[in-house]
Amino acid sequence: MPKLGMEPIRKEALVKATITEIGRTGSLDVTVSQIAKRAGMSSALAHHYFGSKEDMFLAAMRHIMTIYGAEVRGALCVAQTPMERLQAILAASFSPANFRREAVGAWLNFWVLAQTVPEAKRLLAVYQRRLKSNLLVGLRPLADARAASVADGLGALIDGLYLREVLKSGPPDGAAAVAVALNYLKAQLQGAGTK
């Protein structure tokens, strides 16, 4: 009989192994056996904890989103102005913890999965609503009536920068991604009559 404290440890190991395997292959074409092997356990045990590869992948995305959410909340705690809020969200979006090869690959596959799996679609919608809500708090004082439009554009740009990252070689460059997003933001704010 397994120890009661092993389940959370094993689940965490499977979540991390799922992220690593999807990042390594660049697709969802990984098997539960590959994930379990990376986590140092049997595929039967992996199925016991999650039921299916899809459930493991959704747990992995929840893990990625939890890390992202914690970084955003931490960055927003020190932001004092609307522009600092926006910069904090962008910095968290492209931080080393969030903008690493494995996480970027997981996001790409998550967008694909959300097209056909209702729970993935729901989870993606939650992320998108939270991102837009956080952006709007910073944008309303700066962009007035255009705030929602700028937030939509900035959200799409963040997604697009992740997609581009998958297609290039070399390590992710979070600072360059932040610079692109800030340039877009500044151009949009100048169009709104702010500086």
Side-chain angles (χ1 to χ4, degrees), residues 23 72 91 100:
V72 169
R100 64 188 198 282

Side-chain angles (χ1 to χ4, degrees), residues 61 64-65 102-111 124 127 162:
M61 285 311 301
I64 287 171
M65 289 180 187
E102 296 85 6
V104 170
W107 273 103
L108 175 67
N109 288 286
F110 181 57
W111 289 316
L124 182 58
Y127 158 75
Y162 268 73

Side-chain angles (χ1 to χ4, degrees), residues 123-163:
L123 192 58
L124 182 58
V126 168
Y127 158 75
Q128 289 171 334
R129 281 193 307 270
R130 285 181 184 163
L131 176 61
K132 185 171 183 176
S133 174
N134 281 327
L135 291 171
L136 283 172
V137 172
L139 285 167
R140 282 188 184 114
L142 300 174
D144 298 321
R146 293 189 60 238
S149 174
V150 175
D152 287 339
L154 201 50
L157 182 60
I158 290 168
D159 290 347
L161 288 166
Y162 268 73
L163 287 171

Side-chain angles (χ1 to χ4, degrees), residues 20 35 47 82 86 102 109 118 146 163 182-183:
T20 300
I35 294 167
H47 278 291
L86 296 167
E102 296 85 6
N109 288 286
R146 293 189 60 238
L163 287 171
L182 282 174
N183 285 339

Side-chain angles (χ1 to χ4, degrees), residues 6-73:
M6 290 305 293
E7 181 173 347
I9 293 167
R10 288 181 177 151
K11 280 186 170 183
E12 182 179 350
L14 285 165
V15 163
K16 289 179 179 178
T18 301
I19 295 166
T20 300
E21 282 300 304
I22 290 170
R24 184 184 64 77
T25 63
S27 76
L28 291 174
D29 291 335
V30 294
T31 64
V32 172
S33 179
Q34 288 170 298
I35 294 167
K37 183 177 181 182
R38 179 164 295 275
M41 63 189 79
S42 70
S43 58
L45 198 54
H47 278 291
H48 168 74
Y49 287 128
F50 287 104
S52 70
K53 181 175 73 169
E54 185 178 288
D55 291 337
M56 274 186 260
F57 187 64
L58 289 170
M61 285 311 301
R62 284 187 198 95
H63 175 76
I64 287 171
M65 289 180 187
T66 298
I67 291 169
Y68 171 72
E71 280 205 39
V72 169
R73 286 188 300 277

